[in-house]
Every structure is written in structure tokens, then in C-alpha cells.
Amino acid sequence: MKNVTLRVFSLLCATAAAVVAWVLVAAVRPDFVVLAGAALAAFLSSGFLLLRVVDPGTDQTIRRRRLVWLLAGAAVYMSVAQFTVGRQPPRTLDDPVASPNVKYWTLPDGGRLAYLHTPAKGKRRDTPVVMLHGGPGIPALPVIEAKGVRPLDFLAADGFAVYYYDQRGAGFSSRVDLRREDAYSVAGHVADLEAVRAALGAERMVLVGHGWGATLAANYALAHPEHVARLVVIAPAPLWYPAFEEMVTPDARATLTEVQASTLALLEQPPFRLVIGRLTATTSRKAAHTMVEDYEVDQWWTRSLEAEGRLAQPNLVCNSDPARLLPPVLGVGYFAHSYTLADALQLPDPRPALEKLQVPVLIVRGICDYIRWEVAHEYLTTLPGAKYVAVPAGGYLLWVEQQSLLETVVGAFLRGEEVPLAFHHPRD
């Protein structure tokens, strides 16, 4: 029995060697057939050596037994590898379909950004309003199309042309071919936004950033301060991600039963194929993205986000029944999310430079927001002349719960009027 256990352990170690070979060879030959062959060769060679250690000897019976174990192990290895890694899963999630209202900007590199436009009413102002959605990788347009609600359209009555767009990599916008092009990055999203401004022919824009969109707005203002008329940040994500290892308020998570917690953990755990793809990307992004396509990670992430929303992990609204208020999860782009956040964690601290920014800023945060209040407060203490509004009975999705109050506050700010409920924290 002991030798059987050791033989099984030897073959498991050989499987680990195959994974290592797959990842290392990907750096020089990102071809799927070559990778599979290298992994199998690593399995056979390491398995043979380990079985010789476990079952030493040279007589014919022992050699035959080692061969049987090695071949049986190879058969099991190839079957499991084909089932878990070598075969793409079926598409179980349909891509959202854009309506004829959705238009496209073509970027200098050939990429396309999908947008919706609400024209100004009456006398048109020179500064258009551009909404920057959260995530990253969680788009605006599919949700707006599904809900039939454009949260900033009230600004059209004040003469503002309003634009909503999906950032590259999510929603109706084009994806980056990660086998050939640079990965998603904060600078890339900033460059796309600058291309939007050029397409609009506007000297300056009003940027309204929600969640991660606030981080993007701040980075754009840092790179192009002359092109920003005003900033509105709603439920903002961090100015600088490394400053907040944990940005979720502890009491924003509901208590789960054991069954709920187990179900959520299972849905949040990526399939083994995606784990291998992630490991492969450490040495060859081309090989990893030849193997794993966008739709695979997107449909896994969609199911995970849907489960988190249903179980209030974290709670995005103040309402006790979040499932009733939450918008649908449509058109998410996991690679835009993961690569952008990885890049954000590597950036130098922008806060010293942002302290010199001379742009009017409004910070709006619901008191039930799942993001820690210190994150929003840092915008106030960093950006000169910023105003802060705390919205009662509002969470992260203020436009879902407190649309009328949001209209009052944001409208007053953009008209240059006194902002209701605004207050200033003393600066440190």
C-alpha cells in the first residue's frame, strides 16, 4: 500500500513538472502543439525517474510494473489535460447586442469605442459632459440599453451635450488583441479618452467618473489639465491603488450561510484552464491568449459578479434586497479589468502632482458605499478646492437609489451654483 501511494505521488509530481515545462517553453515557442508536446515529455521523463526511485531494481517484473504505471499515468494525464486545459468550454453567455442608437469613435490605432450621445437642449455649452464608467472592465452602455436609463441626461436641459462610452475592452467597444498588442493600462485608457476629446472637437470636457472612472478622470486631469473644465467623482475608487490594500468597508458584506459561502467560493474560483492560462502569461502573453479567449474569462467573471451581487458581497446599495435594484451584469471584460488594475498597482504616486491641479472638483459618496470613506476623503485632501457631498440612504450605485438627489447636487455644481449638502473636511 505504501508503494502504491508513493507511485501515485510520483505521478502527481510528474504532472507538476509538466505544468512547469508548459509555462517555461511558452517563453520561446508559444505554439499550442509544441507546448503540449513539451509538457508530455516532461511528464514521461520525470515520471520515469521518480518511479525508478520509488521502485528500484532491474529485474523484468519491476521494469514491467514501472512501465505499466508510467503508461497508465500518461493516459490519465492526457485525458485530464485534454478535458481541463486542451478543450475550450462552450459559449454559455450571449454577447449584448447594441441598438442602432450606439455609435462608434474610431481611434488612431484602429480600435473602436462605442458611445451614446444625448444632445444639449436650448443654448449649447462649449464643454461636453463625458461619463467614465467603473470597473475597470464593467461597461456602461449594455446596462443603459437594458435599463433604458441614462443617468446624466438631466444635464442636457442645462445645455450640456452628454456622452456615455464603453472603455476599450468591455461592452460594445473593441477588445485588444493580447497576442499582438500592448496590454490594457491606465495610460492606454487616458490616451483613449484624449482621442475622445479630439473626436468631439472640444477644447475642454466635464468628466464624471464613477468608481474606477474617478481614478481614470484623475489620471486624465493629471496628464491633460488644460482639457478639463470640471471633475465630478461619484463613489470614487482610489487615486492611487497601492495606498489601499483593502478598500472594502468591513460591514458592507452580508453574513452568508455555509451553503451560500461554499457556492460563492466555487463560482469565484476560476477553472483550472484559466489558472494554467494565467501561469502561462507569466512567460508568454501570446501563448496564454492563444490558448484562452476573452469569452472564457468573461463568462466566468459574469457568473461570479452575479452571485456576488445576489449575496451582497459587497453590498452595492443601501436597500435590504440588492437583487431587486442591481443592474444586470452585461458585456464585462475581465482582461481589461485585470491588466488595468495590475498596471494601476505599479504606477508612481500621482498625489503630489494632483495637489497642484487647479480644476473644480465635486466628490459625491453615499453613506452606504462599500468603498471605505477614506478613499473618497483622499480626493478631498489632495485636490485643491474640492467639495464633498455625503448622500444619505445611498450606496455605491447612487444613480440607482438616489437619482433625484444626484441630479440636484451635480446639476448645481456644473451650473456654478452653491452645492446642496456640500461640506469641507479640514485639510491635514
Side-chain angles (χ1 to χ4, degrees):
M1 184 64 184
K2 179 180 178 181
N3 278 351
V4 170
T5 302
L6 289 175
R7 292 181 195 121
V8 171
F9 180 72
S10 298
L11 294 176
L12 290 175
C13 290
T15 302
V19 173
V20 172
W22 174 289
V23 174
L24 294 179
V25 173
V28 291
R29 286 296 300 275
D31 178 84
F32 188 84
V33 174
V34 173
L35 294 179
L40 179 59
F43 177 89
L44 292 172
S45 58
S46 58
F48 176 77
L49 294 174
L50 290 169
L51 287 172
R52 285 194 64 178
V53 173
V54 171
D55 244 345
T58 57
D59 67 72
Q60 189 173 0
T61 301
I62 294 175
R63 285 185 295 174
R64 185 182 298 115
R65 184 167 60 223
R66 287 199 298 256
L67 181 61
V68 168
W69 271 88
L70 182 61
L71 293 178
V76 172
Y77 161 78
M78 288 189 291
S79 299
V80 173
Q82 172 62 19
F83 182 76
T84 60
V85 177
R87 186 177 63 180
Q88 286 187 319
R91 288 180 179 267
T92 59
L93 190 68
D94 293 331
D95 293 331
V97 179
S99 76
N101 296 324
V102 176
K103 308 300 180 185
Y104 293 88
W105 290 305
T106 299
L107 300 171
D109 62 3
R112 299 209 308 165
L113 297 182
Y115 72 93
L116 288 169
H117 170 219
T118 301
K121 298 176 182 177
K123 186 177 179 180
R124 179 188 175 102
R125 297 177 185 255
D126 294 333
T127 52
V129 173
V130 179
M131 182 176 178
L132 309 177
H133 65 72
I138 301 179
L141 268 56
V143 175
I144 288 174
E145 294 267 274
K147 299 280 287 185
V149 176
R150 301 187 186 186
L152 300 180
D153 271 14
F154 65 92
L155 294 171
D158 289 322
F160 291 100
V162 182
Y163 293 87
Y164 311 83
Y165 80 95
D166 286 338
Q167 295 156 29
R168 197 188 308 225
F172 301 135
S173 292
S174 63
R175 306 296 179 97
V176 169
D177 185 347
L178 292 162
R179 296 168 299 175
R180 301 177 180 87
E181 303 174 66
D182 292 338
Y184 300 96
S185 65
V186 176
H189 289 297
V190 168
D192 287 350
L193 181 52
E194 172 61 4
V196 167
R197 183 198 64 80
L200 294 177
E203 182 61 29
R204 297 194 302 167
M205 301 179 290
V206 173
L207 299 180
V208 180
H210 180 251
W212 140 259
T215 310
L216 173 56
N219 277 273
Y220 179 85
L222 185 61
H224 304 283
E226 71 281 7
H227 295 315
V228 181
R230 287 176 180 258
L231 281 180
V232 178
V233 297
I234 302 171
L239 278 172
W240 188 47
Y241 275 83
F244 293 93
E245 292 184 8
E246 177 55 63
M247 64 178 185
V248 177
T249 302
D251 59 3
R253 297 187 184 277
T255 302
L256 303 182
T257 65
E258 290 186 10
V259 173
Q260 289 174 328
S262 299
T263 301
L264 182 60
L266 183 63
L267 289 171
E268 289 180 330
Q269 179 63 39
F272 185 66
R273 174 181 167 83
L274 301 187
V275 174
I276 296 299
R278 183 181 298 169
L279 290 173
T280 305
T282 60
T283 57
S284 172
R285 184 152 49 85
K286 178 181 178 180
H289 292 287
T290 300
M291 170 187 167
V292 178
E293 295 185 31
D294 284 56
Y295 83 87
E296 297 182 50
V297 286
D298 290 351
Q299 64 189 25
W300 158 70
W301 195 36
T302 297
R303 301 309 182 204
S304 177
L305 290 174
E306 288 175 341
E308 290 174 353
R310 287 194 304 271
L311 298 173
Q313 302 296 311
N315 197 352
L316 302 178
V317 294
C318 273
N319 189 277
S320 59
D321 181 15
R324 185 176 63 84
L325 290 179
L326 292 182
V329 180
L330 297 169
V332 299
Y334 181 76
F335 288 139
H337 173 80
S338 59
Y339 279 109
T340 302
L341 286 187
D343 179 62
L345 288 168
Q346 303 300 318
L347 294 179
D349 189 350
R351 293 172 296 183
L354 285 171
E355 289 177 351
K356 303 179 179 65
L357 185 68
Q358 298 300 314
V359 172
V361 180
L362 176 67
I363 306 150
V364 187
R365 179 185 183 274
I367 60 173
C368 299
D369 194 346
Y370 80 91
I371 299 177
R372 289 168 49 187
W373 69 267
E374 292 93 338
V375 174
H377 182 257
E378 188 162 65
Y379 282 75
L380 183 66
T381 56
T382 300
L383 301 172
K387 296 182 177 181
Y388 186 106
V389 175
V391 178
Y396 177 76
L397 296 176
L398 280 172
W399 62 272
V400 171
E401 293 182 288
Q402 295 286 4
Q403 175 66 20
S404 61
L405 186 53
L406 195 63
E407 292 180 10
T408 301
V409 171
V410 175
F413 175 71
L414 295 188
R415 289 190 298 268
E417 301 170 357
E418 185 66 26
V419 177
L421 306 181
F423 63 91
H424 295 270
H425 284 294
R427 294 182 179 275
D428 295 333

